[in-house]
Amino acid sequence: MKQDDFSTLISRSDPGPGDGGRTGSWRVLRPVIDLGACIPSKTNKRACFNCWFYCPDGVVSKTIPPVIDYEYCKGCGICAEECPAGAISMIEEAHFMEEKNDECI
Amino acid sequence: MHMIESGNVAAATGVKLARAGVIAAYPITPQTPLTEKLSEFVASGQMEAEYIPVESEHSAMAVCIAASSAGARAFTATSANGLLYMNEQLHWAAGARLPIVMCVANRGIGAPWTVWNDQQDSMSQRDGGWIQLYANDHQQIIDSVIKAFYLAEFVSIPVMVCYDGYLLSHTYMPFEQPDQTLVDGFLPDFKPKNALDPENPSNFNTVTLPDVRPDIHGNIAPGYMEIRHCLHQDMRKAMMVLEEIDMKFQETFGRGGHPFVEPYLCDDADHVVVSVGSLSYHFRDVIDLLRKEGVKVGVMGIQLYRPFPDKAIVDALQGKSSVFVFEKALSYGNQGPLYADIKAALYPCDNKPAMHNYILGLGGREIKTAQLLETVRTACSKPKWLGDTPIWLGLKCQE
């Protein structure tokens, strides 16, 4: 009997988007960046990026302007809490649902 | 080298000889001086390990889980309520297939508060996916600790080495300390099957859904049922590995030969007493006395409780006139756990022995040789089925 014969099945996955499913559907509050207040967007300098740094799911890009991937953002609100410029507001998903419904009408 | 020391020092010396790399332990009651000794080994440079004192047993096991996931040989120890406080992490360690070794100095569980010996603590953890070895004396403690690392790492399942609190943990006894070079030759280096690696990042033990599902590459990944089935199959296979390890240990150190059960005068016996831990050695005096009276009785100690060595137990007990199971643990509202397991193992046999279940020594209640002698003598004279209700020995003020 060899060591390799044991523990052949475990839960192990490579890191990558979507291993836990599209977690954006869990979101109740959506972070929305006001680009007029956002430091890198306003100054056009690669500075701050607290939203990218603190996002526990790695769904904010380190770009000008920073972009949030709503497919996977769970809406935890840490980015809004950490933004030194107060440029991120958490808006109820229901609001966007209404907008979408209005468009349909 | 021979030494005369406590069971805790025997265990600590085994951990030192096995060169554990990370030791995490809660230092206060219900801890035993085992971890104190290890902290001395580390502080004095006799042992090269990271010693992490933590704020709870739950954290001790969490640290061992992290250390083992990073590829370190991890060890901890606890007793009684401390073991129960780890409970959630114990299941995690087994499910995550981490080869952690832990010593449990068996003690009663509160309430009412007790710090003395019985085996309710580890017995109540039998279904968690850990391998459980029980030692009967100091020599078996030190030897079992060394074998436990080998076994755990080979099969990727954590191992509990259990020994009676106070009766073994705090008493002094002579034992042979294995030579470090021999231990180094016996115990292979820990090569984890799955470990965290910054060069090759991966997620371990991520959420599984009720059914299997594709991973990010589109390959079907095993689900919870498959992973748990694998653990069960490996637990059963671990018995063969333990047998091989025991043989190798015997070749190297000259001790062993009873990886599953340790019988004493059982071959020609009509009646067999079964128990776990130091009590099975205590019984040898009783057996010797009864043999002088002409009673054909033997005693069998259970060395491995999980996985349950049902074949070895059936081989030893079928065809006997009666089997008396003495336990320092109870599944409240039912029977002693060992009694129920042995009875289940014997169910398919044609020639089933009559069985009695005795509960004794809870919370450190003294077990006297004369009391055991009288009980076994009476039982052997009327070896018939008495029903499954356990018989309590040594009760003093009954309601």
Side-chain angles (χ1 to χ4, degrees):
Chain A
M1 208 165 282
K2 301 187 302 294
Q3 194 181 343
D4 276 348
D5 298 335
F6 289 86
S7 193
T8 50
L9 296 184
I10 62 159
S11 169
R12 175 180 183 161
S13 62
D14 292 336
D19 187 42
R22 293 197 175 159
T23 48
S25 64
W26 302 6
R27 195 173 55 241
V28 176
L29 297 172
R30 180 186 294 195
V32 175
I33 307 174
D34 173 3
L35 297 182
C38 164
I39 293 164
S41 309
K42 196 169 66 179
T43 60
N44 200 32
K45 286 183 177 146
R46 294 184 60 77
C48 185
F49 292 123
N50 272 13
C51 50
W52 162 81
F53 184 76
Y54 282 101
C55 175
D57 267 329
V59 298
V60 184
S61 69
K62 197 180 174 185
T63 51
I64 303 171
V67 177
I68 298 171
D69 184 348
Y70 293 124
E71 287 270 285
Y72 298 107
C73 166
K74 300 186 187 110
C76 69
I78 290 175
C79 55
E81 187 67 26
E82 295 297 337
C83 176
I88 304 179
S89 354
M90 301 302 293
I91 297 169
E92 288 210 23
E93 279 298 323
H95 172 76
F96 300 99
M97 298 285 280
E98 279 160 21
E99 263 184 13
K100 211 173 160 190
N101 290 344
D102 289 347
E103 279 167 26
C104 291
I105 294 162
Chain B
M1 185 180 80
H2 273 86
M3 55 202 286
I4 298 176
E5 259 297 354
S6 70
N8 287 322
V9 172
T13 308
V15 176
K16 177 164 80 90
L17 289 168
R19 300 188 189 279
V22 173
I23 298 149
Y26 179 65
I28 316 170
T29 300
Q31 190 52 275
T32 61
L34 155 57
T35 52
E36 213 174 298
K37 192 71 194 171
L38 284 171
S39 71
E40 279 173 33
F41 285 150
V42 174
S44 62
Q46 294 177 69
M47 199 179 165
E48 218 177 299
E50 195 72 39
Y51 188 94
I52 306 170
V54 288
E55 79 285 5
S56 76
E57 288 85 357
H58 187 278
S59 302
M61 189 46 63
V63 167
C64 286
I65 286 169
S68 191
S69 303
R73 184 171 279 170
F75 176 84
T76 186
T78 189
S79 288
N81 293 56
L83 180 69
L84 303 190
Y85 194 15
M86 281 179 184
N87 181 280
E88 181 247 358
Q89 296 287 294
L90 293 178
H91 286 258
W92 187 273
R97 306 300 301 268
L98 298 170
I100 297 160
V101 171
M102 168 165 66
C103 279
V104 177
N106 287 125
R107 293 199 206 172
I109 294 166
W113 195 242
T114 175
V115 297
W116 287 276
N117 165 248
D118 69 35
Q119 293 166 334
Q120 190 70 38
D121 51 0
S122 59
M123 284 287 168
S124 74
Q125 296 297 325
R126 65 180 181 169
D127 298 336
W130 279 61
I131 292 170
Q132 287 194 347
L133 304 173
Y134 285 81
N136 302 338
D137 66 9
H138 293 25
Q139 190 66 62
Q140 286 189 359
I141 294 174
I142 187 168
D143 293 351
S144 298
V145 166
I146 295 164
K147 284 187 263 191
F149 281 105
Y150 199 144
L151 177 61
E153 290 164 13
F154 197 98
V155 302
S156 292
I157 298 173
V159 178
M160 248 179 239
V161 178
C162 309
Y163 54 91
D164 287 305
Y166 295 101
L167 299 178
L168 295 179
S169 69
H170 288 64
T171 56
Y172 282 57
M173 213 186 267
F175 58 92
E176 162 83 16
Q177 180 186 330
D179 186 64
Q180 181 71 65
T181 51
L182 287 180
V183 176
D184 290 342
F186 167 77
L187 183 62
D189 289 340
F190 177 30
K191 293 194 190 77
K193 185 142 186 200
N194 288 291
L196 297 169
D197 176 10
E199 300 303 315
N200 179 25
S202 77
N203 302 318
F204 286 115
N205 307 302
T206 45
V207 68
T208 49
L209 298 180
D211 208 344
V212 296
R213 66 186 172 95
D215 64 14
I216 60 162
H217 305 297
N219 304 317
I220 294 296
Y224 189 86
M225 282 275 278
E226 288 73 27
I227 291 164
R228 287 287 167 161
H229 178 251
C230 176
L231 171 61
H232 177 68
Q233 297 292 96
D234 287 359
M235 274 285 257
R236 298 300 298 175
K237 285 194 288 180
M239 280 193 272
M240 283 180 271
V241 177
L242 177 61
E243 206 167 12
E244 283 170 23
I245 290 171
D246 184 73
M247 273 163 62
K248 196 177 161 196
F249 191 90
Q250 202 172 12
E251 282 161 21
T252 314
F253 301 100
R255 288 184 299 276
H258 301 289
F260 307 138
V261 294
E262 195 179 12
Y264 178 72
L265 303 180
C266 285
D267 286 346
D268 69 331
D270 295 329
H271 317 280
V272 177
V273 169
V274 182
S275 71
V276 183
S278 63
L279 183 59
S280 68
Y281 277 12
H282 188 172
F283 261 114
R284 291 186 175 195
D285 287 341
V286 177
I287 299 305
D288 288 344
L289 291 167
L290 285 170
R291 283 274 172 172
K292 278 184 195 149
E293 295 175 15
V295 184
K296 286 173 93 175
V297 60
V299 61
M300 188 172 82
I302 304 292
Q303 309 291 103
L304 173 74
Y305 184 50
R306 282 293 181 273
F308 192 60
D310 37 7
K311 191 179 174 302
I313 285 171
V314 168
D315 287 349
L317 298 182
Q318 68 176 340
K320 300 295 182 195
S321 159
S322 52
V323 169
F324 312 124
V325 184
F326 285 74
E327 292 185 78
K328 293 193 264 188
L330 178 62
S331 179
Y332 284 90
N334 193 28
Q335 305 148 357
L338 180 62
Y339 174 81
D341 285 344
I342 292 178
K343 200 176 64 162
L346 288 168
Y347 182 75
C349 301
D350 293 329
N351 39 6
K352 292 188 246 306
M355 288 182 71
H356 298 180
N357 189 195
Y358 297 93
I359 303 299
L360 75 174
L362 299 189
R365 175 62 53 87
E366 191 179 4
I367 299 169
K368 294 191 166 149
T369 306
Q371 174 195 28
L372 298 179
L373 183 67
E374 183 54 37
T375 306
V376 178
R377 188 193 282 130
T378 310
C380 290
S381 68
K382 293 176 223 153
K384 56 172 194 272
W385 198 280
L386 301 175
D388 283 328
T389 308
I391 301 155
W392 289 61
L393 289 186
L395 283 181
K396 290 196 173 161
C397 33
Q398 292 192 53
E399 65 274 28

